[in-house]
Amino acid sequence: MPDSGWIAVDAMGGDDGLAVMLAGVARARHQFEGMRFLLVGDEAAIREGLKAHPNLSQHSEIVHAPEVVGSSDKPTQAIRRAKKTSMGIAIDLVKQGRAAAAVSSGNTGALMAMAKLSLRMLPGIDRPALAARLPTLGDTDMVMLDLGANTECDARNLVQFAIMGAAYARTALDIPHPRVALLNIGSEDMKGTDEIRDAAAQLRATPAVDMQFNGFIEGDRLSRGEVDVVVCDGFSGNIALKTAEGTARFVADLLKRAFRSSVRSKLGFLISRPATELLRDHLDPNNHNGAVFLGLNGIVVKSHGGATERGVATAIGNAAKMVRNDLVRRIADDLGSVEKAA
């Protein structure tokens, strides 16, 4: 077992670079006790950056990486340079057991390709799935997967995603018996593709896992808090995610425009400010940051490239919680239970 206190951080990833990544790591250290960090990247630049966070030096080590994966690099290009890049070295630290998880804000496709090649898949898993937490009207976030790792999925893939998503919900959201649903164009049993209907039939016959299968859910119900895990192929999931993010920004922009339209509206904003601040905080993606590639023999977390200091800290905290709750073992155990019951 790796030391659960160490998190490898690709310090060079992200749209805003090293400064935001180090600020996020420093914030995470204050929020989550006992965490230590392997900061991967240009050693001279990291040492200079740490001058702004003197307390972080006592809880971190620097691992030099001479190169960085660019945002436009193809996965094949990134794989060839994996041993020299901050992203590739961070993943390799997990493989070596020096770190319990890796966090990067870099190129998503490259991160998935290198993580899959280096860490390999868990036994019984055909493909990894990118899972993220989304805000809802319920008491907790919702887990959604896959969000882009696999554009096409068969019924077996969807069933595996459901099992992994349920384990993630139990681990990250502390939901003992997650409600799971398949994203579909209707809630009726006859709706959807053959793959979705076959997956539903298999999930209804899967009693060996701590989850409740709730059938199908349509896109307009995703934010209602009616289910805890939503399963879909990566093509549909990525579209649904981007649509939800765009809608949230649209609503926020409409509110700004409305409140600035007149003096009376500005006065109304002052009165309603506590409510609007609560809305903004609830929808802020930095409070839900940190997607994870489920199905790998290790934990790799993808932070949003445009994440703020708070967003980076959220992603790191999410990784730490998965490590402490032994997510990889839980997924393996659930898969084993399903196979035995089959």
Side-chain angles (χ1 to χ4, degrees):
M1 285 290 293
D3 187 333
S4 62
W6 288 97
I7 304 292
V9 178
D10 173 11
M12 314 306 289
D15 298 346
D16 297 317
L18 178 63
V20 170
M21 293 303 296
L22 290 181
V25 174
R27 187 183 183 114
R29 188 195 69 79
H30 286 291
Q31 291 178 341
F32 310 101
E33 294 183 2
M35 293 179 63
R36 293 173 291 174
F37 306 96
L38 296 170
L39 305 175
V40 189
D42 182 276
E43 183 174 3
I46 293 175
R47 289 195 184 281
E48 182 65 25
L50 284 175
K51 291 180 181 179
H53 309 283
N55 293 331
L56 183 57
S57 299
Q58 305 172 17
H59 302 272
S60 62
E61 294 180 9
I62 299 174
V63 179
H64 179 63
E67 298 182 15
V68 177
V69 175
S71 59
S72 61
D73 286 357
K74 295 180 180 180
T76 52
Q77 295 173 323
I79 288 173
R80 285 196 292 267
R81 299 189 296 120
K83 294 182 179 180
K84 297 182 179 180
T85 63
S86 55
M87 181 185 291
I89 292 173
I91 294 170
D92 191 59
L93 290 170
V94 177
K95 180 181 179 180
Q96 295 175 26
R98 291 181 59 189
V103 179
S104 176
S105 295
N107 184 317
T108 304
L111 184 66
M112 183 190 73
M114 286 196 287
K116 184 178 179 180
L117 183 64
S118 179
L119 300 177
R120 305 295 181 182
M121 306 302 300
L122 284 170
I125 294 293
D126 299 327
R127 300 179 183 182
L130 183 61
R133 296 164 51 176
L134 304 178
T136 72
L137 292 175
D139 295 331
T140 63
D141 287 347
M142 171 191 74
V143 176
M144 191 169 181
L145 71 163
D146 176 32
L147 296 177
N150 309 278
T151 56
E152 295 182 0
C153 298
D154 59 21
R156 176 180 169 87
N157 299 143
L158 295 174
V159 171
Q160 292 174 358
F161 294 171
I163 294 170
M164 294 191 296
Y168 179 48
R170 294 197 304 273
T171 301
L173 303 179
D174 301 316
I175 302 173
H177 202 65
R179 299 163 297 173
V180 179
L182 291 166
L183 182 63
N184 202 352
I185 59 173
S187 58
E188 299 86 354
D189 290 345
M190 74 288 296
K191 291 289 183 70
T193 63
D194 291 340
E195 290 79 10
I196 292 175
R197 294 197 303 272
D198 289 347
Q202 293 180 41
L203 287 169
R204 291 189 183 98
T206 304
V209 179
D210 286 331
M211 67 179 184
Q212 173 185 325
F213 180 59
N214 282 19
F216 301 138
I217 187 171
E218 295 183 74
D220 63 339
R221 309 298 299 178
L222 292 178
S223 61
R224 307 304 298 177
E226 297 170 350
V227 297
D228 305 304
V229 180
V230 174
V231 178
C232 55
D233 62 78
F235 185 85
S236 303
N238 192 268
I239 291 175
L241 174 65
K242 297 297 174 58
T243 301
E245 291 175 343
T247 301
R249 289 192 293 269
F250 173 68
V251 171
D253 290 343
L254 277 181
L255 287 174
K256 289 179 182 177
R257 183 183 300 178
F259 284 132
R260 293 171 179 170
S261 62
S262 67
V263 174
R264 179 178 296 180
S265 296
K266 291 178 181 178
L267 290 174
F269 169 72
L270 293 176
I271 296 173
S272 62
R273 188 168 184 174
T276 56
E277 289 293 328
L278 180 64
L279 173 65
R280 186 176 67 175
D281 186 68
H282 188 64
L283 294 178
D284 187 349
N286 289 292
N287 293 329
H288 314 276
N289 188 40
V292 57
F293 290 107
L294 297 178
L296 299 175
N297 191 26
I299 294 174
V300 176
V301 172
K302 171 64 174 73
S303 172
H304 195 286
T308 64
E309 168 189 328
R310 180 171 59 175
V312 172
T314 300
I316 292 172
N318 194 26
K321 189 168 186 178
M322 286 185 279
V323 170
R324 290 170 181 169
N325 290 332
D326 210 356
L327 174 63
V328 174
R329 181 192 59 79
R330 289 193 180 197
I331 291 174
D333 288 349
D334 285 352
L335 288 169
S337 298
V338 171
E339 290 177 357
K340 289 180 182 178

